Amino acid sequence: MKWMYTSQRKEYANALTEVGKERTDVVVLDADLSSSTRTSEFAKSFPERFFNCGIAEQNMIGTAAGLAAAGKTVFASTFAAFATGRCWDQIRQAVAYSNLDVKIVATHAGITVGPDGATHQALEDIAIMRVLPNMTVIVPADGAETYKAIKAIAKYKGPCYVRLGRSDVPLVTSMETPFEVGKASLLKEGSDITLAACGQMVAVCLEAAEELESKGISAEVLNVSTIKPLDKEAIAKSVEKTGCIVTAEEHSIEGGLGSAVCEFLCETYPVPQQRIGTPACFGESGESDALMKKYGLTKERVIEASEKVIRRKK
Amino acid sequence: MTLYDDQTIQELEAKAKIIRCHAIKMIYAAKSGHPGGSLSAADLITALFFKIMKHDSSNPHWEERDKFVLSKGHAAPSYYAALAECGYFPTDELLTLRKVDSNLQGHPCRQKTRGVEVSTGSLGQGLSMANGLALAAKLDRSGSRIYCICGDGELQEGQNWEAAMLAAQYKLDNLTLFIDRNKLQIDGPTEQVMSLEPLVDKWLAFGWNLIEINGHDMRQILEACDKAKETTGKPTVIIANTIKGKGVSFMEGAIGFHGKAPNEDEYKIALKELGDCA
C-alpha cells in the first residue's frame, strides 16, 4: 500500500491553536518539551495562556488540576513516558478523582521513539491511564484523527489522555471522516476475522488485511481510537460476524487495547483472540523501523496471528 | 495595616475552640482520624474562614471568592468543622465523618463536600493545585486570593519544591502558603526523620516573601495575612510555629496522636479541656 504520511504532533499544534482562538478559557502547560510536543505553537499565539512548568511533571499536573478547578480547560503536554509514569499519583489524586477538565496530550509514545531507548519509550501508558476511574483514553491513528480528537476533547468534559507518536504515520482516516469520543470506526468490511487496532498499527492492519485478502481471507479492520470507554457495540457487532479477533497496538500486550478487548469479550462473547503488541519487556535503542520489526509490530505478525485464530475458531 | 481589637481576637479564639471540639467529636465518632494535625492547624483554619477569606456559603461558586487548599488533607476534621460552622452544610453532618455514604471523606473530596475546592490527601500536592488556582485568578483578574496550608513533614515531598519554583517564577503574589510547623510526623520529630532546617533559608532561596509567626496567636496570624496581601511580585509563605495536638494537654507534642482516635476516657478529658463548646 502507498501511504501519505502525516505528523500527529503538527496536527495537535494546529488543532490546539484553533481551539485557543475559539476559546479564551483554554490554557496550555508543558514541562520544557514544548518545541518537541509542539505546544510552542500555542505559546506563540497565546503567550499569556501558556505556562512552561519546567522539568517538573508532578507540579505541572497539580497546577493543571488547580486551573481546571477554577474553570479552565487545560491541556498539559510532555513525552508519554513522563506524562503518565512520572506523575501517575498526581493524575489519580488531583485530576481523575475530581473529574477535572485536564487533557493530558502526550507525544513520543511507543517503541518508535527509537534511539532514545527504553527510558523514553512508553509501552505501559495506555494500561496505567485506562485503569483510572473517570479517565478517557484516546490513541489517534494518524494526523487527521489527531486533529479531530483534539477538537473533540476540548468540548468533552472530564479528564482525557491522548497518546501521540513522534514519527510521521500513514494517513488512514481523512479530515472528512467523523470522529466521536468512544466510537470505533470501521475502515474495511470483512467476514472471516476482525482486526482491531489503534495508533499506527491501524495502517499495519490495513496492509495485513490486503494481503489476507489475496490468501482468500476476508478481514474486517476496526480503528479503535478510543480505548476507554471502549466501543463495545462496534467490537461485539464485528466479532459476531467474524467469530475471531486480532488486536494490534504499539504498546505492551499487557494492559492496553488487547487487554481491554479481552476483558470485554471474555465476559460477553468469547471468541478466539490473539494480541499483537510489544512483549512484556522494556524496549531498547534503535531506528523506529528496526524496533517495530524486532518487537513484532509488523504486517507479517498480524497475518500469522490471524491465521492462528482462524484455525482456533471451531 | 488593619488593627484588630481585642474583641475580634477573642471571638476568633472562641471560634477556634469550637472547631477543636468538633474535630475531637468527629474523630471520636469515626473511631479514626488525625487529631494531632487537626488541632495544630485549627487556629490557622479559623482565622482564614472566619476573618481573612472572602467567601459566601450561600454561593459557594461566587467567582470573586478567595480559595482554600488543605494540602495536609488529614487535618480534614478542622476544615469540615469550619465549613459547617460557616454554613456550607449542617453541623449535624460532621459526625458522619469517615462513615460509608458520608459526604465527609477521610480526606477532602471536591466531588462530595460543599465548599471544598480541590481534593487532597496524597501529601505534597496541594501547593501545585494552589498554583493553578492562583494562575487562573490572575488570568481572570478576579482579585481572588488563594490560601494553602501544608504540613511541615509533607515538605519532604519533592513536588512542593517544584511548586515553590513555579509560584516564584510566575510571581503569584495572590498566593499565601501556611506551613503548619508542628515539628512532628508519624515516625518522629521532623528533624530526626528527614531534616527540614534551615527552613527559612530554603523558602527565601526559592524567592518567596517569608513571615514567621506563632501559629496559635490569632493576632499574629491575621497580621501576617495582611502583610502577605500587601506584598507584590512574589508569593508569601507564613511559617506558623505550632504544637501538634494543641488544646488537649495529653495530645500536645504527642506523636501517638498523629493518627489515632481518643478512647472514651481520653475523649471526655479532651472535651472538658476544650470547654465542650461545640
Side-chain angles (χ1 to χ4, degrees):
Chain A
M1 277 180 167
K2 280 243 182 304
W3 295 111
M4 205 178 110
Y5 281 77
T6 53
S7 160
Q8 294 190 312
R9 291 185 284 155
K10 196 175 137 204
E11 293 304 336
Y12 170 38
N14 288 343
L16 191 60
T17 307
E18 279 179 33
V19 168
K21 218 171 282 171
E22 291 156 12
R23 282 174 50 187
T24 55
D25 63 330
V26 169
V27 175
V28 177
L29 307 180
D30 205 301
D32 193 42
L33 288 168
S34 64
S35 55
S36 297
T37 64
R38 307 285 168 84
T39 57
S40 54
E41 297 295 315
F42 181 95
K44 254 184 254 163
S45 304
F46 311 103
E48 72 289 351
R49 283 189 272 138
F50 174 81
F51 301 101
N52 199 326
C53 298
I55 310 166
E57 296 79 11
Q58 300 179 350
N59 178 53
M60 175 173 77
I61 295 298
T63 302
L67 280 156
K72 306 294 177 194
T73 294
V74 189
F75 284 79
S77 286
T78 180
F79 290 178
F82 316 132
T84 58
R86 184 61 176 253
C87 44
W88 189 82
D89 186 48
Q90 283 73 15
I91 298 171
R92 177 178 185 268
Q93 308 256 354
V95 175
Y97 184 40
S98 293
N99 202 19
L100 290 170
D101 239 348
V102 174
K103 319 300 181 191
I104 300 161
V105 182
T107 65
H108 295 64
I111 197 91
T112 46
V113 167
D116 277 346
T119 52
H120 286 53
Q121 292 161 346
L123 298 173
E124 317 83 6
D125 55 319
I126 298 174
I128 62 176
M129 287 296 103
R130 133 184 131 76
V131 290
L132 289 172
N134 295 332
M135 183 63 75
T136 293
V137 178
I138 300 173
V139 184
D142 58 19
E145 195 167 52
T146 300
Y147 175 89
K148 289 178 286 182
I150 297 300
K151 296 280 254 194
I153 60 162
K155 289 185 208 141
Y156 188 88
K157 282 283 160 209
C160 294
Y161 174 62
V162 180
R163 179 191 214 238
L164 306 178
R166 185 192 72 136
S167 326
D168 289 354
V169 291
L171 187 69
V172 295
T173 71
S174 77
M175 284 296 189
E176 287 71 41
T177 49
F179 173 86
E180 200 183 323
V181 175
K183 292 280 175 222
S185 51
L186 181 61
L187 297 187
K188 179 188 170 301
E189 282 196 55
S191 52
D192 297 328
I193 182 169
T194 301
L195 305 179
C198 64
Q200 62 169 317
M201 290 307 287
V202 175
V204 174
C205 284
L206 285 167
E207 288 177 353
E210 193 183 59
E211 199 161 317
L212 284 167
E213 212 71 43
S214 68
K215 296 183 175 200
I217 296 168
S218 163
E220 179 147 300
V221 181
L222 278 180
N223 172 17
V224 189
S225 44
T226 307
I227 313 278
K228 186 186 173 184
L230 192 68
D231 188 348
K232 295 174 178 173
E233 208 185 311
I235 291 166
K237 197 177 154 198
S238 183
V239 297
E240 278 169 21
K241 179 170 64 172
T242 63
C244 65
I245 186 166
V246 166
T247 58
E249 62 202 305
E250 188 195 345
H251 181 274
S252 167
I253 54 162
E254 296 187 341
L257 168 67
S259 297
V261 170
C262 281
E263 288 160 17
F264 164 57
L265 287 180
C266 79
E267 290 182 348
T268 52
Y269 196 85
V271 293
Q273 179 179 347
Q274 191 83 20
R275 291 164 297 147
I276 298 287
T278 58
C281 66
F282 288 104
E284 64 181 292
S285 290
E287 291 307 320
S288 302
D289 293 348
L291 291 170
M292 288 288 276
K293 201 171 164 198
K294 175 164 179 182
Y295 289 84
L297 304 173
T298 60
K299 177 179 72 175
E300 291 71 28
R301 281 289 308 281
V302 174
I303 292 166
E304 195 184 306
S306 299
E307 289 170 335
K308 199 167 152 191
V309 285
I310 287 171
R311 280 199 298 276
R312 283 172 53 207
K313 264 209 251 187
K314 294 149 232 144
Chain B
M1 174 79 74
T2 316
L3 291 173
Y4 297 98
D5 58 35
D6 291 346
Q7 195 192 336
T8 303
I9 299 298
Q10 282 158 15
E11 281 170 9
L12 286 171
E13 285 168 353
K15 199 55 114 174
K17 268 200 171 170
I18 294 173
I19 300 302
R20 286 190 163 92
C21 277
H22 276 310
I24 292 297
K25 285 184 172 177
M26 292 160 76
I27 294 167
Y28 178 68
K31 300 189 182 68
S32 74
H34 300 81
S38 297
L39 295 176
S40 68
D43 296 304
L44 303 175
I45 289 172
T46 302
L48 287 172
F49 276 88
F50 296 94
K51 191 71 194 169
I52 302 292
M53 293 198 305
K54 350 175 254 216
H55 65 120
D56 177 3
S57 61
S58 67
N59 183 14
H61 300 296
W62 176 37
E63 287 187 2
E64 305 290 306
R65 73 190 183 279
D66 293 337
K67 293 175 180 173
F68 175 67
V69 176
L70 183 66
S71 190
K72 47 173 290 184
H74 54 281
S78 292
Y79 183 15
Y80 295 153
L83 286 171
E85 284 287 332
C86 286
Y88 283 89
F89 48 85
T91 49
D92 294 350
E93 217 180 305
L94 290 173
L95 294 182
T96 67
L97 174 75
R98 288 174 168 254
K99 298 207 164 99
V100 72
D101 293 332
S102 172
N103 289 323
L104 305 180
Q105 297 297 295
H107 294 82
C109 174
R110 172 187 159 88
Q111 298 293 82
K112 297 212 174 191
T113 310
R114 197 164 176 268
V116 168
E117 302 281 355
V118 291
S119 304
T120 50
S122 176
L123 293 175
Q125 299 196 24
L127 186 56
S128 297
M129 293 186 241
N131 279 344
L133 293 170
L135 283 171
K138 291 258 178 193
L139 281 171
D140 294 340
R141 296 186 173 82
S142 71
S144 149
R145 293 191 62 81
I146 316 302
Y147 294 91
C148 178
I149 298 180
C150 276
D152 51 0
E154 90 169 295
L155 295 177
Q156 292 156 2
E157 293 279 8
Q159 186 183 345
N160 285 303
W161 303 101
E162 299 181 357
M165 281 189 273
L166 185 139
Q169 178 82 15
Y170 289 102
K171 302 183 169 52
L172 299 181
D173 49 18
N174 55 349
L175 170 65
T176 302
L177 166 67
F178 283 98
I179 292 167
D180 181 3
R181 183 74 172 113
N182 62 35
K183 299 189 179 67
L184 293 177
Q185 58 191 113
I186 299 179
D187 276 354
T190 56
E191 298 316 288
Q192 280 177 26
V193 176
M194 188 52 63
S195 173
L196 298 168
E197 295 296 340
L199 194 55
V200 167
D201 294 353
K202 286 189 171 88
W203 287 96
L204 291 175
F206 275 77
W208 284 56
N209 176 46
L210 185 137
I211 303 167
E212 192 169 7
I213 60 165
N214 172 349
H216 300 306
D217 183 319
M218 219 33 103
R219 196 180 298 276
Q220 287 189 30
I221 299 170
L222 299 181
E223 287 176 359
C225 287
D226 288 341
K227 277 186 207 153
K229 269 185 215 170
E230 288 160 11
T231 303
T232 55
K234 48 168 85 170
T236 293
V237 56
I238 300 170
I239 297 180
N241 290 299
T242 57
I243 295 167
K244 198 151 185 166
K246 174 72 177 177
V248 176
S249 58
F250 57 88
M251 290 185 180
E252 289 191 1
I255 289 174
F257 280 101
H258 170 90
K260 191 185 77 171
N263 63 29
E264 193 181 346
D265 291 342
E266 291 163 343
Y267 171 67
K268 284 180 183 158
I269 301 167
L271 272 195
K272 201 173 159 204
E273 286 186 15
L274 292 167
D276 198 2
C277 50

